[in-house]
Amino acid sequence: MLRTFLASKGEWSLPSSPFFHARLPLPPGITQSYQVAKVSTVKGIRHQIGPSRALQRFQQDAFFTLLDIRKADQDWALINTIRDTRCRVSLYVEIKFFFPSQGKRNMSGGIDTVLDVVFTWLELNNSLVKSVTSAKFVDAEDPRCEIAVCCLVGK
């Protein structure tokens, strides 16, 4: 499906198929993603915010899922070209969250978490992402997150 995006300097059009797509477990909510820990320093004890066990578990599960799809039909030639040549390619990401219920859960923390995991896995800098679209759905039987990454082509 071809989409058009308006950017500050003109229009961007999206190729019809993504070069990378994956299905991941749902990331934890933002309030479950971080915890405060006491850290001993020379000057005494201070509090530091760090990843929670739930976030670490999601990251680990997502990496194992990505290991399985590495053999799947992805455009690794394009991914490797972007990575190896350090091309300044503008990317578009579409993320779909399938929650078990409508609930009050938002997507904002999940977007960053999913982008970090996927772009770390791809060994690409997520600063290449120029546009992100996210959507929230309900699927009580199969909660998940789906991500697709495409190149944006300028006019």
Side-chain angles (χ1 to χ4, degrees):
M1 106 171 80
L2 188 64
R3 299 176 191 224
T4 302
F5 297 92
L6 295 175
S8 61
K9 294 185 179 179
E11 292 185 8
W12 297 93
S13 59
L14 178 69
S16 59
S17 60
F19 65 83
F20 177 83
H21 52 89
R23 179 185 164 131
L24 301 172
L26 272 178
I30 193 73
T31 56
Q32 293 84 29
S33 293
Y34 300 97
Q35 64 187 13
V36 177
K38 292 180 182 179
V39 179
S40 296
T41 66
V42 177
K43 297 180 180 180
I45 294 177
R46 70 179 176 114
H47 293 83
Q48 181 175 330
I49 296 176
S52 68
R53 286 193 175 135
L55 179 58
Q56 292 170 343
R57 191 174 324 113
F58 164 76
Q59 291 169 334
Q60 184 178 33
D61 291 348
F63 274 113
F64 283 125
T65 301
L66 291 168
L67 276 172
D68 288 340
I69 68 156
R70 190 145 176 81
K71 301 170 192 162
D73 189 2
Q74 310 292 339
D75 190 347
W76 292 103
L78 179 57
I79 294 166
N80 289 330
T81 299
I82 294 169
R83 182 188 312 135
D84 295 341
T85 61
R86 304 280 186 222
C87 292
R88 294 303 305 167
V89 176
S90 296
L91 301 178
Y92 163 76
V93 177
E94 182 177 65
I95 302 174
K96 296 177 183 176
F97 295 97
F98 295 83
F99 294 110
S101 64
Q102 190 61 33
K104 296 181 182 179
R105 185 131 176 234
N106 66 39
M107 301 177 291
S108 60
I111 293 168
D112 288 338
T113 302
V114 170
L115 286 175
D116 287 344
V117 166
V118 169
F119 278 80
T120 298
W121 171 254
L122 293 173
E123 298 177 19
L124 294 175
N125 190 333
N126 62 7
S127 70
L128 296 173
V129 177
K130 301 300 180 217
S131 180
V132 177
T133 301
S134 63
K136 180 161 97 169
F137 302 94
V138 175
D139 188 342
E141 295 182 21
D142 187 18
R144 66 193 179 279
C145 171
E146 296 177 2
I147 181 170
V149 183
C150 305
C151 292
L152 287 170
V153 180
K155 118 175 163 173

